[in-house]
């Protein structure tokens, strides 16, 4: 047998091995892709919005989930392993939409409608990039706008709304790249195309918004000096009796619409019901852009602070540690009125959803 014949035989064997290897790789790739489209757990916490709320309801409590920026209703719960039923009011479009003043949108268009049950397991990865939150919107195959994905509907497209700026700074190139990469991942998984603005234009828009917000960002604080440490449970009881309501680790003094006018927090940042230690110092904070416009925004906080000081046998001082001068609240409130007006002119009305989104 000649060298040529031996070489041809070896080449043929090599080609056969390459074909078999390629087929194995293709089969493995398809299997992995198919598996990635379905949750591995029968009780995936992401199947249906607010699984935690459902657990609370089953325990006898009234579910009251706080909506993420984008706010929207919650679909009725389904039994474990079953797709969540569609909300009864699905004939109407959801009210919440992307906000072009502070968000940039990446559009994902599916080649064929995709069931919400297939999309829901991937929603967790679309909530945030870096330090910027994202909101997900969608259009059903019946051309209905949705602020949440529902398991029982099919969707023709999705929109990822990425916040352009917040108190962590403007949207960065890395954060934008992460958002784009996640959109590309969804496109690959569900055979879709993506569209979005140019990165440089996005970064410039984020920088402009950040500059505007930085010029208007103002917080005014007061301190309550309790002297000897007082039990946290007693301080909490007094604060609630005064009119404060829970707000995470803090307590909030709500306006008529439920938005916090100002907050009360422990100096150590811990929750009021955390541990057994006492409390020696409390902070009152008026976050001006996030608080509803009020002609007595600061004066109202001073009144409540003085009431708390009397109840807790504490001393109320300013952020420099000095007692409040008589009439100082009037002067500060006059200055705040100017700031409220500037926020309104900038398209960031104090206490609005947009202001709370970018001043977070």
């Amino acid at each position: 047998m000649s060298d040529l014949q031996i070489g041809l035989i070896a080449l043929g064997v090599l080609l056969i091995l390459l074909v078999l290897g390629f087929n194995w790789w293709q089969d493995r790739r398809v299997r992995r892709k198919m598996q990635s489209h379905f949750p591995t757990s029968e009780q995936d916490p992401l199947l249906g919005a607010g699984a935690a709320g459902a657990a609370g309801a089953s325990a006898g409590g009234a579910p009251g989930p706080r909506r993420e920026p984008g706010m929207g209703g919650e679909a009725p719960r389904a039994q474990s392993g079953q797709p969540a039923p569609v909300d009864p009011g699905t004939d109407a479009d959801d009210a919440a939409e992307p906000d072009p003043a502070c968000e940039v949108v990446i559009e994902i268009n599916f080649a064929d409608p995709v069931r919400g049950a297939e999309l829901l397991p991937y929603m967790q990865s679309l909530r945030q990039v870096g330090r910027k939150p994202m909101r997900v919107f969608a259009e059903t195959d019946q051309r209905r706008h949705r602020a949440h994905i529902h398991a029982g509907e099919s969707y023709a497209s999705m929109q990822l709304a990425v916040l352009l700026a917040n108190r962590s700074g403007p949207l960065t190139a890395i954060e934008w790249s992460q958002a784009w990469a996640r959109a590309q991942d969804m496109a690959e998984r569900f055979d879709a195309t993506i569209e979005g603005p140019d990165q440089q234009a996005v970064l410039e828009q984020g920088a402009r918004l950040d500059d505007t917000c930085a010029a208007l960002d103002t917080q005014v604080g007061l301190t309550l000096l309790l002297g000897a440490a007082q039990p946290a449970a007693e301080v909490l009881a007094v604060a609630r009796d005064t009119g404060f309501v829970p707000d995470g680790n803090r307590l909030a003094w709500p306006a008529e619409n439920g938005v916090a006018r100002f907050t009360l927090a422990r100096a150590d940042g811990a929750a009021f019901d955390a541990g057994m230690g006492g409390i020696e110092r409390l902070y009152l904070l008026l976050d001006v852009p996030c608080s509803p416009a009020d002609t007595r925004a600061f004066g109202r906080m001073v009144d409540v602070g003085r009431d708390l000081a009397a109840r807790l046998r504490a001393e109320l001082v300013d952020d420099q540690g000095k007692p409040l001068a008589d009439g100082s609240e009037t002067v500060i409130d006059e200055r705040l009125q100017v700031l409220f007006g500037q926020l309104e002119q900038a398209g960031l009305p104090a206490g609005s959803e947009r202001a709370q989104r970018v001043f977070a």
Side-chain angles (χ1 to χ4, degrees):
M1 186 177 294
S2 66
D3 291 341
L4 177 60
Q5 290 174 317
I6 294 174
L8 290 174
I9 292 172
L11 181 60
V13 172
L14 179 60
L15 288 174
I16 291 172
L17 291 175
L18 286 173
V19 170
L20 290 174
F22 179 79
N23 288 339
W24 174 84
W25 176 79
Q26 283 281 67
D27 180 73
R28 186 168 178 269
R29 181 171 175 268
V30 170
R31 286 176 182 273
R32 290 179 62 187
K33 186 172 183 180
M34 289 177 66
Q35 290 172 356
S36 67
H37 284 186
F38 300 94
T40 57
S41 171
E42 292 184 358
Q43 296 182 344
D44 193 321
L46 298 177
L47 271 180
S58 66
R66 183 183 186 276
R67 296 179 299 177
E68 284 297 323
M71 311 265 181
E74 189 173 344
R77 304 298 194 276
Q79 306 232 343
S80 175
Q82 298 295 327
V86 180
D87 277 346
T90 52
D91 287 343
D93 290 339
D94 290 347
E97 295 182 348
D99 187 348
C102 64
E103 292 176 312
V104 61
V105 173
I106 301 174
E107 185 84 22
I108 304 174
N109 295 294
F110 302 118
D112 296 302
V114 179
R115 296 289 292 174
E118 297 182 63
L119 296 172
L120 280 170
Y122 302 99
M123 293 302 101
Q124 179 72 24
S125 66
L126 302 179
R127 290 184 177 180
Q128 188 160 333
V129 284
R131 304 176 81 174
K132 302 297 183 296
M134 291 195 298
R135 297 193 291 166
V136 176
F137 300 90
E139 184 177 88
T140 71
D141 55 354
Q142 302 299 316
R143 302 188 66 80
R144 295 299 184 190
H145 171 72
R146 294 286 178 257
H148 290 283
I149 300 295
H150 300 286
E153 290 184 319
S154 294
Y155 298 92
S157 65
M158 280 176 49
Q159 298 80 43
L160 305 185
V162 189
L163 189 65
L164 284 163
N166 56 16
R167 280 175 170 155
S168 70
L171 184 70
T172 66
I174 293 176
E175 290 169 332
W176 175 247
S177 296
Q178 290 175 345
W180 192 262
R182 293 180 192 180
Q184 285 182 317
D185 181 59
M186 293 294 290
E188 292 174 2
R189 291 178 185 275
F190 298 103
D191 189 18
T193 59
I194 60 174
E195 297 179 27
D198 176 72
Q199 174 175 298
Q200 188 58 36
V202 169
L203 298 182
E204 290 175 359
Q205 186 180 356
R208 289 194 298 269
L209 178 60
D210 183 62
D211 288 343
T212 299
C213 293
L216 300 173
D217 198 357
T218 301
Q219 296 178 327
V220 185
L222 295 171
T223 301
L224 282 161
L225 303 176
L226 278 62
Q230 298 189 29
E234 293 182 12
V235 174
L236 177 59
V238 169
R240 285 183 167 177
D241 186 59
T242 305
F244 285 93
V245 297
D247 181 30
N249 284 353
R250 311 172 304 177
L251 299 175
W253 185 276
E256 292 75 11
N257 62 358
V259 175
R261 290 190 182 278
F262 47 86
T263 58
L264 179 70
R266 293 174 52 155
D268 58 8
F272 279 85
D273 57 357
M276 302 295 293
I279 296 177
E280 298 181 357
R281 179 174 302 200
L282 294 168
Y283 292 143
L284 281 163
L285 182 67
L286 172 62
D287 192 339
V288 179
C290 297
S291 173
D294 183 359
T295 55
R296 294 197 70 247
F298 183 68
R300 193 185 304 273
M301 185 170 73
V302 170
D303 291 344
V304 174
R306 285 173 174 160
D307 186 18
L308 271 177
R311 293 174 183 237
L312 295 170
R313 303 176 302 280
E315 181 184 5
L316 183 68
V317 298
D318 62 19
D319 54 6
Q320 302 297 319
K322 299 178 181 179
L324 291 176
D326 291 338
S328 59
E329 57 265 40
T330 302
V331 175
I332 293 176
D333 274 328
E334 289 176 353
R335 295 176 181 173
L336 293 183
Q337 295 315 300
V338 176
L339 182 57
F340 285 137
Q342 293 173 335
L343 285 163
E344 186 77 32
Q345 292 176 0
L348 298 165
S352 65
E353 287 187 17
R354 180 183 295 164
Q356 291 181 355
R357 197 169 289 133
V358 299
F359 290 100

